[in-house]
Amino acid sequence: MTTTNNTMTTTRTKDALYWSSTGFAALALAAIGAADLARVPDVMAGLAHLGYPPYFATIIGVWKLLAVATILAPGLPRLKEWAYAGLFFVLTGAATSHAISGGPAGVAAFPLVILGIVLTSWVLQPARHASATKSPKSTPMPSEARA
């Protein structure tokens, strides 16, 4: 019975960490994406400093909001993988852009902090754990199927 209780506690802890990281990442990325779409003056100044054209705010704002909607939606495991991958590229691109532009280290580190939270959400997804624990179905080789 102790094993069952430990398993339940571990599952609850993973679920709590998943929802905490996913909720925080979704909230942060939705706010940043909305600021991109609203073309907040500080956002536009930051993009200009990095050398990006103004329309880039619309592109990344839409991507961020679509990714947030996808990671919060039930199901859609393949689409979620693409959303997490997109967030990885957007956030590492932001960190790299800030680092190369010579800005303060904290400005370059902020996207990496958000990325750490996004990666925590990705690793702890319940759907990933369910598919990882299932044993792959054995399909017979063509020569075995005829035998």
Side-chain angles (χ1 to χ4, degrees), residues 1 6 15 41 51 53 57 60 64-65 79-80 83 88 92 98 104 126 134-135:
M1 188 144 198
N6 288 341
D15 286 348
I60 60 174
K64 289 171 190 169
L65 293 178
L79 195 56
K80 283 183 193 287
F88 177 85
T92 56
H98 286 294
K134 291 180 185 175
S135 61

Side-chain angles (χ1 to χ4, degrees), residues 43-99:
V43 170
M44 300 312 290
L47 286 174
H49 169 73
L50 297 173
Y52 292 111
Y55 65 81
F56 193 65
T58 302
I59 295 169
I60 60 174
V62 168
W63 285 349
K64 289 171 190 169
L65 293 178
L66 288 174
V68 166
T70 301
I71 65 173
L72 291 176
L76 311 170
R78 184 168 295 180
L79 195 56
K80 283 183 193 287
E81 290 296 316
W82 280 101
Y84 281 111
L87 290 171
F88 177 85
F89 294 128
V90 165
L91 293 167
T92 56
T96 303
S97 294
H98 286 294

Side-chain angles (χ1 to χ4, degrees), residues 4-41:
T4 304
N5 288 340
N6 288 341
T7 303
M8 286 175 40
T9 301
T10 302
T11 302
R12 285 182 186 156
T13 302
K14 282 183 181 177
D15 286 348
L17 286 172
Y18 166 73
W19 283 111
S20 297
S21 61
T22 302
F24 184 81
L27 184 64
L29 290 163
I32 296 166
D36 290 336
L37 288 177
R39 296 182 175 235
V40 171

